[in-house]
Amino acid sequence: MRFYAYRVTFLFNDRSERGKLRFTGPQRAWFLHQILTQAFEDMGPGESRDAAKLTAHGRMTGYMEFVATEDALFCHFEPELKETLPEEIRRYVFATQVVIDDVSDEYGLVLIVGERWREAVVTAGAVEQETRSLGPAAGYVWVPAASRPEVLEQLSSSGAREATEDDLERMRIDNAVPRWGREMDVKTFPQETGIDSWAVHYDKGCYVGQEAMAKIHFRGKVNRRLAKLEGDRLRRGEDIIDEGVKVGIVTSAQGDKGLALVRYTVEPGAEVEVGASRAKVVS
């Protein structure tokens, strides 16, 4: 195996515990195009896109990050979706010419943060996947599971710094990027967290939940929105109170910064109560 690590400072984190699927077969893109919020039929090798799985009423049941290769589409998702999402996708196959393989144990998944993240690792069998999950330039590198320890060692020895999940959460919160299991769950509409601006394709044909998405986008609004908070001792799960009325809940928190889903009437700049202290809605 050939491996090169450039002596440029990066952050990295091993996220191999995430669920991973591989879609092959001549109708793989068509199949995903029919059931997810994203367009896939025009997706070229090396391109990355995010997508959501919806109910017929438009609420989310999963969120995935995809990358295309010459002969497959790969996706990964939060570990808590491993038990539900793969089977939910498979039940739509019917006679479609697509093969869905769970490759969670076949590949390691290394997150690299830095403007030149693509230069951090070159190894046989690797697949590079751009990600917007943190805000700054970053990407995932899929590597064969057997190569993962060597890749991690080489990154560390080249001067890259291993980031903790707390480091990455602070970065994500600073950039107000929603995450499944925090800002997104089975009660969430994509428009509430703003992911519809990059993970929902409003001009493609029918898919599960498409009618609900169109109604919200073209005719209506959602009652909640994603907001950034600043305040002392913010804690995930705390209620947000404005003039004695619950207007939201803290969904992520690191120190004095957090994210929340609040009623759409809560304006940036509002001072609210969170637990025993006060906080400011900054966006």
Side-chain angles (χ1 to χ4, degrees):
M1 179 183 70
R2 298 180 63 194
F3 178 92
Y4 304 93
Y6 290 78
R7 292 195 172 274
V8 178
T9 300
F10 300 100
L11 298 178
F12 72 95
N13 182 269
D14 183 4
R15 283 189 165 176
S16 298
E17 79 282 359
R18 291 175 68 83
K20 310 174 195 73
L21 296 177
R22 178 179 60 213
F23 299 81
T24 55
Q27 291 185 306
R28 62 186 181 275
W30 179 88
F31 169 72
L32 292 168
H33 200 89
Q34 307 305 307
I35 67 169
L36 301 180
T37 59
Q38 186 57 270
F40 290 92
E41 292 185 309
D42 63 340
M43 194 171 175
E47 190 173 352
S48 301
R49 295 181 185 178
D50 295 1
K53 178 74 183 67
L54 306 179
T55 67
H57 300 291
R59 296 190 187 273
M60 299 174 66
T61 61
Y63 185 80
M64 297 147 279
E65 298 185 43
F66 280 86
V67 63
T69 65
E70 290 286 351
D71 56 4
L73 283 159
F74 290 82
C75 78
H76 62 84
F77 42 87
E78 294 287 355
E80 55 261 44
L81 288 169
K82 284 182 176 181
E83 296 300 317
T84 57
L85 188 57
E87 289 308 311
E88 184 177 351
I89 291 173
R90 286 191 179 101
R91 69 187 181 93
Y92 288 93
V93 171
F94 304 113
T96 311
Q97 293 178 297
V98 60
V99 177
I100 305 172
D101 294 310
D102 188 327
V103 293
S104 298
D105 296 330
E106 292 182 32
Y107 287 90
L109 195 64
V110 182
L111 175 65
I112 304 175
V113 184
E115 287 291 336
R116 294 163 59 187
W117 67 269
R118 293 181 187 273
E119 300 177 12
V121 173
V122 178
T123 187
V127 176
E128 296 175 343
Q129 178 177 7
E130 186 176 7
T131 183
R132 61 191 310 149
S133 59
L134 299 175
Y140 284 96
V141 179
W142 297 64
V143 297
S147 303
R148 180 175 64 92
E150 182 179 352
V151 168
L152 294 172
E153 174 59 30
Q154 291 287 346
L155 278 167
S156 182
S157 63
S158 71
R161 179 172 71 84
E162 184 171 7
T164 67
E165 282 295 334
D166 282 348
D167 293 333
L168 299 176
E169 276 294 277
R170 279 191 290 271
M171 191 180 301
R172 183 182 69 83
I173 291 168
D174 281 345
N175 290 283
V177 182
R179 183 175 182 180
W180 183 267
R182 281 74 164 176
E183 291 68 43
M184 299 182 283
D185 60 24
V186 295
K187 298 179 181 178
T188 311
F189 292 107
Q191 291 90 343
E192 292 176 324
T193 62
I195 66 163
D196 62 306
S197 63
W198 66 80
V200 176
H201 196 292
Y202 285 108
D203 296 326
K204 73 169 190 167
C206 292
Y207 59 91
V208 180
Q210 186 267 342
E211 184 176 356
M213 289 297 93
K215 285 181 178 179
I216 294 172
H217 183 62
F218 294 110
R219 302 180 190 175
K221 65 179 185 303
V222 286
N223 292 324
R224 302 186 300 172
R225 69 176 185 87
L226 181 65
K228 287 179 66 174
L229 299 176
E230 289 183 355
D232 293 332
R233 300 181 299 278
L234 293 173
R235 293 181 179 85
R236 182 182 171 195
E238 287 187 315
D239 290 341
I240 300 170
I241 308 298
D242 186 21
E243 297 183 352
V245 177
K246 180 180 175 180
V247 294
I249 188 169
V250 179
T251 53
S252 297
Q254 283 286 334
D256 62 351
K257 295 184 179 180
L259 296 179
L261 286 173
V262 300
R263 289 191 59 81
Y264 73 96
T265 53
V266 179
E267 298 286 345
E271 298 281 344
V272 294
E273 296 176 30
V274 181
S277 61
R278 297 191 64 78
K280 182 178 181 179
V281 179
V282 297
S283 67

